[in-house]
Amino acid sequence: ILGGRKADPHVMPYMASLQLDGQHVCGGFLIAEQWVLSAAHCTEETDGKIFQVLLGAHSLTKPEPHKRLYRVRAQIPHPGSNIHNNKDDLLLLQLEEKAELNEHVQVLPFQREDRDVAADTVCKVAGWGTTSHSGHRPDELHSLERPVISRDVCNHRTRHDHTITEKMMCTDSRKKDTCKGDSGGPLVCNGVAEGVVTAGSRVCGNYKKPAIYTRIAPYVAWIDSVMASAAG
Ligand SMILES: CC(C)CC(=O)Nc1cccc(-c2cccc(CN)c2)c1
């Protein structure tokens, strides 16, 4: 997160850190007791290794009550996701067991109605992604509030030039933006997850490249069917 602030501890108890060999790779969030939603492109540099999911954390390294690392039983990328574009950039992770819910570990509801969030709506995004252009990786969760920008503005030829589909949304990226390692985290508007951070043009803090999110509502059927099929 560029230009954000250290989050107040445990005000986002749904946040997950997707880790490989104890290293934070991407964000994610708890959508059910045994399921985390993240971004498919987070598996790009993992050559088939399975993530572990850290829940209940504020600091990535310090011991904290309710902080717990979960093994993953299944990692299911959306069938339409690919490395060439940002389409269908979603990843479902089934935990080995149901997460123990408490004040520091909670499920975040996601939007089920497929209707665009109005432009200028201020939403919140959080993550352990880089906090500087030099690539500083924070130990503590950072958060940021950003206004939604319309798809028409985001699709302008000087911005993302008509690559933003109706299954994506954008927020302003001038100075304050998502960055490497924030992918997979939720964009929360009025207490509901509306989007999932995607890397897009993989630049950060440049107003000409607004932050892009995969909208969740268009994928409700897929999310529900995967969770139902693997249930039990
Ligand atoms: C395996 C993955 C971690 C590879 C990857 O995602 N790299 C990477 C590099 C630079 C910027 C970003 C990035 C992420 C989220 C939002 C944005 C744009 N605001 C950029 C992402």
Side-chain angles (χ1 to χ4, degrees), residues 18 34-38 51 53 72-76 91-95:
L18 271 53
Q34 206 162 347
W35 292 90
V36 167
L37 184 60
S38 182
F51 286 116
V53 172
V72 168
R73 178 180 298 172
Q75 252 172 222
I76 303 137
L91 178 70
L92 275 168
L93 301 105
Q94 184 183 28
L95 305 178

Side-chain angles (χ1 to χ4, degrees), residues 25-26 41-42 45 177-180 183 197-199 202-204:
V25 173
C26 272
H41 83 262
C42 292
E45 299 166 7
D177 192 11
T178 50
C179 201
K180 178 166 181 150
S183 300
V197 177
T198 187
R202 299 200 178 188
V203 299
C204 312

Side-chain angles (χ1 to χ4, degrees), residues 41-229:
H41 83 262
C42 292
T43 62
E44 260 170 34
E45 299 166 7
T46 60
D47 56 275
K49 284 192 213 125
I50 299 283
F51 286 116
Q52 287 185 313
V53 172
L54 181 67
L55 295 177
H58 174 64
S59 160
L60 291 175
T61 58
K62 298 187 187 82
E64 293 171 334
H66 306 298
K67 188 173 160 181
R68 197 173 141 191
L69 196 60
Y70 287 84
R71 293 198 184 297
V72 168
R73 178 180 298 172
Q75 252 172 222
I76 303 137
H78 189 281
S81 61
N82 62 79
I83 57 167
H84 306 293
N85 60 42
N86 295 302
K87 285 186 178 165
D88 304 333
D89 189 18
L90 294 177
L91 178 70
L92 275 168
L93 301 105
Q94 184 183 28
L95 305 178
E96 271 287 5
E97 61 185 291
K98 285 188 176 180
E100 195 180 327
L101 302 184
N102 52 60
E103 59 184 322
H104 296 170
V105 180
Q106 284 295 318
V107 167
L108 174 66
F110 56 85
Q111 182 58 258
R112 290 180 169 271
E113 277 180 54
D114 190 350
R115 198 172 334 145
D116 280 333
V117 177
D120 299 330
T121 305
V122 175
C123 301
K124 182 157 88 167
V125 63
W128 287 275
T130 52
T131 53
S132 73
H133 284 287
S134 61
H136 175 71
R137 288 181 294 169
D139 179 57
E140 292 170 308
L141 185 64
H142 280 63
S143 71
L144 177 65
E145 295 204 333
R146 289 278 79 196
V148 170
I149 61 173
S150 73
R151 189 170 294 104
D152 286 352
V153 168
C154 200
N155 263 327
H156 194 272
R157 60 184 164 72
T158 61
R159 301 303 193 267
H160 286 298
D161 194 12
H162 310 293
T163 60
I164 307 300
T165 70
E166 82 288 354
K167 293 180 175 176
M168 298 171 190
M169 65 186 289
C170 301
T171 59
D172 177 76
S173 54
R174 187 170 166 280
K175 294 193 172 40
K176 302 177 174 197
D177 192 11
T178 50
C179 201
K180 178 166 181 150
D182 290 323
S183 300
L187 180 68
V188 184
C189 314
N190 303 312
V192 176
E194 293 281 354
V196 176
V197 177
T198 187
S201 50
R202 299 200 178 188
V203 299
C204 312
N206 180 339
Y207 78 101
K208 294 213 169 214
K209 295 297 173 200
I212 307 172
Y213 307 80
T214 305
R215 292 182 57 239
I216 297 170
Y219 296 92
V220 164
W222 174 71
I223 292 169
D224 285 346
S225 66
V226 168
M227 291 200 293
S229 67

